[in-house]
């Protein structure tokens, strides 16, 4: 009998993965750990800096897009201020799902071939010191997040700004809700290190209550092992097909 699988993606992103799991015979449980809330263009106090950076997008040599959410919301902002994207900007995506969203908008996108994280992006030729020094770089992302990418680019001589397009709101579940979800030691799918932080805070003894943890990045997997998870399966990326490929044989 196949184990149950807990999917923790936001509600608007989980449907295809849940359907694919069910077609493979898995019982699924959907517990979104975060809501993605775009910043509103009419909230002048919250978005004045963001609006200015997007209106002046043609000043940037590179735009680095951190996530699918950043790509989707960033493109909506782009449509408001730029009927045609300005010329001369190189777009970069941290992972293939993010690249796909940008490519659907007919943008040419650079994306790592293997490592889909800050380190992978930083290895790309167009972001090396001899190319990026003295240039302006804009990061499309949510509020908060890792600082490594911006820090290294600044060390390489770039001027880095943030376009923080959305906030992530943690979803809380009661002890009874977690008890019901974890009753038969399911598999747990997480899409990010932040999701790992959230679930571990809500369920301190989680490593003993799941069969295995599925994560899309080696960095997140290393953090999970440090927290006591003994069976961590690492997907090539957060794309549905890569997460599904990590499922243990039934």
């Amino acid at each position: 009998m196949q184990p149950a699988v807990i999917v923790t993606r936001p509600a608007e992103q989980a449907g295809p993965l849940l359907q694919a799991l069910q077609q493979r015979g898995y019982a699924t449980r959907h517990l979104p750990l975060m809501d993605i809330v775009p910043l509103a263009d009419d909230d002048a106090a919250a978005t004045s800096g963001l609006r200015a950076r997007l209106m002046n997008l043609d000043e940037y040599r590179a735009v680095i897009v951190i996530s699918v959410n950043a790509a989707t919301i960033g493109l909506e902002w782009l449509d408001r201020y730029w009927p045609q994207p300005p010329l001369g900007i190189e777009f970069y995506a941290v992972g293939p799902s993010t690249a796909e969203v940008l490519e659907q908008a007919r943008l040419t996108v650079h994306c790592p071939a293997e490592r889909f994280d800050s380190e992978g992006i930083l290895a790309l030729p167009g972001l090396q010191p001899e190319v990026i020094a003295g240039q302006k770089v804009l990061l499309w992302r949510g509020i908060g997040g890792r600082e490594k990418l911006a820090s290294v680019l600044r060390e390489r001589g770039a001027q880095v700004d943030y376009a923080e397009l959305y906030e992530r709101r943690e979803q809380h579940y009661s002890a009874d809700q977690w008890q019901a979800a974890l009753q038969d030691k399911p598999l747990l799918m997480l899409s990010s290190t932040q999701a790992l932080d959230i679930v571990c805070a809500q369920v301190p003894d989680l490593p003993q209550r799941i069969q295995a943890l599925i994560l899309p990045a080696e960095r997140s997997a290393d953090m999970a092992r440090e927290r006591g998870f003994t069976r961590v399966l690492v997907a090539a990326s957060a794309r549905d097909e890569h997460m599904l490929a990590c499922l243990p044989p039934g």
Side-chain angles (χ1 to χ4, degrees):
M1 182 176 177
Q2 302 279 30
V5 181
I6 297 177
V7 174
T8 59
R9 289 182 180 174
E12 63 274 11
Q13 299 172 12
L17 180 58
L18 289 166
Q19 184 177 20
L21 286 164
Q22 292 158 7
Q23 290 172 346
R24 287 164 171 75
Y26 290 90
T28 58
R29 295 162 194 163
H30 187 209
L31 277 76
L33 293 176
M34 289 178 280
D35 276 344
I36 303 300
V37 182
L39 296 187
D41 196 3
D42 58 2
D43 185 345
T47 63
S48 58
L50 170 60
R51 188 181 299 108
R53 286 171 182 146
L54 290 168
M55 290 178 69
N56 296 316
L57 193 64
D58 55 341
E59 297 179 359
Y60 292 92
R61 167 66 179 268
V63 172
I64 302 177
V65 187
I66 302 300
S67 66
V68 169
N69 293 312
T72 302
I73 299 167
L75 289 172
E76 292 171 359
W77 280 82
L78 191 64
D79 285 343
R80 293 182 197 133
Y81 297 113
W82 293 93
Q84 294 293 328
L87 299 175
I89 299 175
E90 301 286 335
F91 280 84
Y92 293 82
V94 168
S97 296
T98 303
E100 187 175 294
V101 174
L102 298 170
E103 288 165 349
Q104 287 172 354
R106 297 185 295 280
L107 295 172
T108 300
V109 185
H110 305 280
C111 181
E114 295 180 346
R115 184 163 181 171
F116 307 125
D117 55 15
S118 297
E119 289 76 6
I121 278 281
L122 288 166
L124 293 176
L127 297 177
Q128 299 312 300
E130 62 274 14
V131 179
I132 208 65
Q135 303 292 331
K136 294 182 69 175
V137 179
L138 186 64
L139 269 58
W140 288 6
R141 70 173 195 173
I143 294 173
R146 293 183 74 194
E147 299 297 328
K148 177 172 182 177
L149 181 55
S151 177
V152 173
L153 289 171
R154 288 174 181 138
E155 290 172 0
R156 294 179 180 180
Q159 177 185 328
V160 182
D161 294 322
Y162 289 125
E164 294 187 318
L165 298 156
Y166 59 92
E167 62 177 321
R168 308 170 192 85
R169 294 182 183 170
E170 179 179 342
Q171 299 299 292
H172 294 272
Y173 297 95
S174 67
D176 287 344
Q177 287 174 308
W178 279 116
Q179 176 63 31
L182 298 169
Q183 59 183 321
D184 49 2
K185 296 195 73 169
L187 301 169
L188 176 62
M189 285 186 169
L190 300 176
S191 297
S192 67
T193 301
Q194 186 175 12
L196 178 65
D197 292 339
I198 290 171
V199 72
C200 286
Q202 294 190 29
V203 190
D205 61 344
L206 186 62
Q208 291 75 48
R209 298 177 67 181
I210 62 171
Q211 183 180 129
L213 181 64
I214 300 175
L215 285 163
E218 196 60 54
R219 173 178 168 271
S220 299
D222 289 342
M223 294 180 66
R225 295 181 188 105
E226 290 172 3
R227 297 181 183 196
F229 291 89
T230 56
R231 192 176 187 197
V232 183
L233 308 174
V234 185
S237 78
R239 292 172 70 94
D240 289 356
E241 59 266 33
H242 291 157
M243 298 294 275
L244 292 167
C246 259
L247 292 167

